[in-house]
Amino acid sequence: MTPHLVYLLVTVTTFLVLRYFLRRQTKRLPPGPNGRFLVGNLPDLPKGDAKMAETYVKWRNDYGSIMHLEIFGKHMIVLNSAQAAHDLMDKRAAIYSHRPRMPMLIELVGNSWVVSVISGEPHRERRSIAQRYFLAQFKDWQRVQLESSRTLLRNLFDDPDNWAAFLRLAVASSFLQICYGHKVTDANDVLLKIVQDALEVPRNYPYFVDVFPIRFPHMVIEEDEYLGYRIPKGSTVVGNAWAILRDPVVFSNPEKFDPWRFLPTREGSETAREVIDSTVYGWGKRACPGRHVGYSALFIMISNILTCFNIEKPLDDAGNEVIPSLKYISKSFVRRAQPTPCTIRPRSDKIARLFVHPE
């Protein structure tokens, strides 16, 4: 090994060691787990389904509404409460709405035109166009959603055990007609198959709010401060959706299935609805410009299904109700609920006759 190479290695190593210890002594960064040399907090990121939920909730409980991670020298700010996410990504959207550089996702794959991943003036211009287009076409799209919903109801009546596949079919077919003007007439449609495969990790419709426990990253473009903590320029900023949507301050007994918590007569229901809206559809200038289309699809499908069918727990061989256990499929930062068995029946003989004799 030449003297020059030895000198270079010593210099680089000294620099990395000094930076590591100097950063650890920074007093004003938000709290977070102690990092390791070079890799930082990479080992602290959750791995596997069993650790994912536990880790995200533990972060909120241990470090509060805002925390700091460092991965290979890059700062990451994790927002564990709806208030922190609102204060930074909504109220300070001018500096918190950029995306961090993602060469694989953007440059190499060719997504530099996609509104959700670009930043700056191109994002502002294309988002404005998208918003105007969505508003202009909204009523036409509702007709498409109604048609898809009617097909869904018929499918549920004919074969209720395949409800999960029929939901994906309804979403995919309406998506194709809304976005590309392509009307699906056959379940073997090639384009339909492509969209259904994409919906295995659904992005546009929040049927499973746990799909992305950590929301798509933002980047802060200026040095900032929040709650007395320093937020370095260029930090990646993410919302901890798993913890936010299970915050007991907003959602009492959050793990309990309690749809009545959202009724206007319940105390705190307005706050709960606002938190879900922002956490599912995004914050600030990154809020989904077509979220009203998603809400419309959900309302039309859910209201029609509940009008026509009773959804009940399945029965075992002895005729006893079986309470399904909620299980998840996890891949890295993506997590979704597995379909659970249930019994779907028409609410009345009159409803059943409508499917048998629709005329």
Side-chain angles (χ1 to χ4, degrees):
M1 186 177 292
T2 65
H4 289 90
L5 184 57
V6 172
Y7 176 77
L8 178 62
L9 288 174
V10 171
T11 302
V12 170
T13 302
T14 302
F15 169 75
L16 291 173
V17 171
L18 286 173
R19 188 176 71 163
Y20 173 74
F21 285 105
L22 285 174
R23 287 195 174 188
R24 287 193 64 181
Q25 294 170 9
T26 302
K27 295 181 179 179
R28 299 191 65 190
L29 287 173
N34 292 327
R36 282 73 162 177
F37 179 58
L38 293 181
V39 298
N41 296 111
L42 184 64
D44 297 306
L45 298 180
K47 300 176 182 66
D49 184 64
K51 294 290 184 182
M52 188 173 282
E54 174 187 321
T55 301
Y56 292 140
V57 173
K58 187 175 186 299
W59 281 352
R60 182 194 64 211
N61 295 340
D62 290 351
Y63 304 110
S65 62
I66 181 172
M67 62 176 288
H68 172 264
L69 299 171
E70 185 177 333
I71 302 172
F72 292 115
K74 301 292 185 181
H75 295 286
M76 177 183 287
I77 304 298
V78 182
L79 305 177
N80 295 322
S81 73
Q83 187 64 55
H86 174 65
D87 288 344
L88 296 182
M89 293 193 283
D90 285 335
K91 291 184 177 179
R92 305 182 192 179
I95 62 172
Y96 280 89
S97 294
H98 279 60
R99 295 292 192 206
R101 185 168 179 261
M102 295 174 279
M104 178 60 74
L105 180 62
I106 301 177
E107 289 100 328
L108 295 180
V109 180
N111 284 332
S112 57
W113 59 274
V114 178
V115 177
S116 60
V117 298
I118 58 178
S119 297
E121 189 62 20
H123 170 257
R124 189 194 67 78
E125 291 176 351
R126 293 175 199 182
R127 176 181 167 80
S128 176
I129 292 171
Q131 286 179 317
R132 291 197 300 270
Y133 179 71
F134 285 150
L135 290 173
Q137 301 294 322
F138 183 49
K139 291 200 176 294
D140 289 337
W141 291 346
Q142 281 188 318
R143 286 190 282 271
V144 172
Q145 292 169 341
L146 283 167
E147 185 178 342
S148 293
S149 179
R150 294 189 187 105
T151 302
L152 170 63
L153 296 177
R154 179 75 210 195
N155 288 334
L156 291 176
F157 177 78
D158 292 338
D159 187 6
D161 290 339
N162 281 325
W163 63 267
F166 293 141
L167 275 177
R168 288 195 297 272
L169 172 64
V171 173
S173 60
S174 61
F175 175 85
L176 278 171
Q177 192 165 350
I178 286 171
C179 294
Y180 301 104
H182 177 78
K183 188 170 183 177
V184 175
T185 58
D186 188 325
N188 296 318
D189 188 296
V190 175
L191 292 179
L192 177 65
K193 176 62 176 172
I194 293 172
V195 175
Q196 284 181 311
D197 289 344
L199 286 172
E200 289 300 311
V201 181
R203 289 172 179 263
N204 298 313
Y205 293 85
Y207 290 118
F208 307 109
V209 296
D210 300 324
V211 170
F212 293 99
I214 290 290
R215 287 301 183 246
F216 209 64
H218 293 221
M219 183 182 75
V220 58
I221 59 172
E222 294 180 8
E223 192 82 7
D224 199 19
E225 184 175 313
Y226 181 66
L227 299 179
Y229 297 121
R230 171 180 168 249
I231 300 179
K233 176 182 177 180
S235 297
T236 296
V237 182
V238 296
N240 183 352
W242 186 270
I244 291 173
L245 294 176
R246 286 161 179 77
D247 186 347
V249 174
V250 179
F251 307 98
S252 59
N253 197 0
E255 296 296 337
K256 180 184 178 182
F257 177 70
D258 181 16
W260 293 274
R261 72 170 86 240
F262 302 108
L263 293 178
T265 53
R266 289 279 289 268
E267 184 179 355
S269 63
E270 183 177 354
T271 300
R273 292 196 298 272
E274 289 174 354
V275 168
I276 287 181
D277 179 74
S278 59
T279 307
V280 171
Y281 286 105
W283 294 276
K285 296 179 182 179
R286 291 294 174 177
C288 176
R291 57 189 178 277
H292 52 287
V293 181
Y295 273 129
S296 173
L298 286 171
F299 178 80
I300 288 171
M301 288 188 184
I302 292 172
S303 60
N304 280 323
I305 289 172
L306 295 181
T307 298
C308 295
F309 298 102
N310 287 324
I311 302 174
E312 302 166 342
K313 300 182 185 72
L315 303 178
D316 60 19
D317 294 338
N320 300 313
E321 285 189 343
V322 177
I323 299 178
S325 59
L326 187 58
K327 297 181 180 179
Y328 293 92
I329 300 171
S330 296
K331 294 181 180 179
S332 184
F333 282 99
V334 177
R335 192 172 202 250
R336 63 183 176 89
Q338 287 183 332
T340 55
C342 62
T343 300
I344 300 177
R345 295 192 182 95
R347 292 177 65 89
S348 66
D349 292 338
K350 182 179 179 180
I351 293 291
R353 286 196 295 274
L354 288 175
F355 290 105
V356 177
H357 304 289
E359 67 279 358

